[in-house]
């Protein structure tokens, strides 16, 4: 999948005609499962073909149970500066009904860790 994304970036390199990229969004399909190597490969492909603004908002969607302290450090270190977290609900009974793999405690914990790691731009999905 990562190779296909990098190939698509290469094929679309002329699309923006040297305009600065102001926003990058890693979403759908739980991109928080990307390893550091995979994330670096995609970011490198973007940097190779496009000019990314130093003020660009670079968002990654994640589930609470994917966001350990180490994962958050890695994401921050690799340029992610905004998180969109799929919390869905702060009620365990709702999360069980939705067949979510995290619980309310994990939701709170990942938000605390994200703030500690310096993520001050976040959104959460609630159903």
């Amino acid at each position: 999948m990562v190779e296909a994304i990098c190939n698509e970036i290469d094929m679309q390199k002329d699309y923006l005609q040297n305009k600065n990229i102001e926003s990058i969004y890693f979403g759908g399909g739980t991109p928080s499962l990307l390893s550091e190597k995979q994330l670096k490969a995609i970011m490198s492909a973007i940097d190779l073909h496009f000019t990314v603004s130093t003020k660009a908002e670079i968002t990654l969607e994640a589930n609470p149970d994917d966001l350990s302290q180490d994962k958050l450090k890695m994401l921050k270190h690799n340029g992610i500066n905004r998180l969109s977290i799929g919390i869905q609900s702060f009620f365990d009974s709702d999360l069980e009904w939705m067949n979510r793999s995290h619980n309310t405690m994990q939701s709170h914990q990942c938000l605390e860790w994200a703030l500690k790691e310096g993520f001050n731009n976040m959104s959460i999905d609630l159903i």
Side-chain angles (χ1 to χ4, degrees):
M1 176 62 112
V2 171
E3 184 178 343
I5 291 169
C6 292
N7 287 339
E8 184 69 21
I9 291 167
D10 180 58
M11 289 188 303
Q12 299 299 326
K13 63 186 169 205
D14 297 326
Y15 179 72
L16 293 177
Q17 302 173 352
N18 298 322
K19 294 180 183 171
N20 281 346
I21 292 180
E22 300 289 334
S23 178
I24 299 171
Y25 194 92
F26 290 92
T30 317
S32 54
L33 295 178
L34 290 170
S35 68
E36 183 170 20
K37 181 180 176 184
Q38 292 169 323
L39 182 59
K40 281 183 176 183
I42 295 169
M43 294 299 288
S44 293
I46 292 168
D47 288 339
L48 178 65
H49 297 297
F50 300 101
T51 302
V52 179
S53 169
T54 58
K55 296 179 182 180
E57 182 178 83
I58 304 174
T59 303
L60 183 120
E61 283 186 7
N63 290 322
D65 50 313
D66 293 333
L67 295 176
S68 66
Q69 288 179 297
D70 288 339
K71 184 71 167 203
L72 287 160
K73 284 179 188 176
M74 181 277 287
L75 294 172
K76 189 75 167 172
H77 178 74
N78 286 284
I80 304 300
N81 57 25
R82 181 176 176 274
L83 297 172
S84 177
I85 305 173
I87 289 176
Q88 310 312 343
S89 175
F90 285 105
F91 297 101
D92 284 331
S93 59
D94 293 343
L95 293 169
E96 288 175 27
W97 180 80
M98 290 183 269
N99 201 29
R100 301 296 293 181
S101 57
H102 66 276
N103 60 39
T104 300
M105 186 179 76
Q106 288 172 306
S107 296
H108 287 283
Q109 185 68 71
C110 83
L111 291 171
E112 288 177 29
W113 287 339
L115 289 169
K116 182 180 176 183
E117 291 305 322
F119 287 97
N120 56 13
N121 189 1
M122 292 185 277
S123 64
I124 61 173
D125 294 343
L126 294 173
I127 295 178

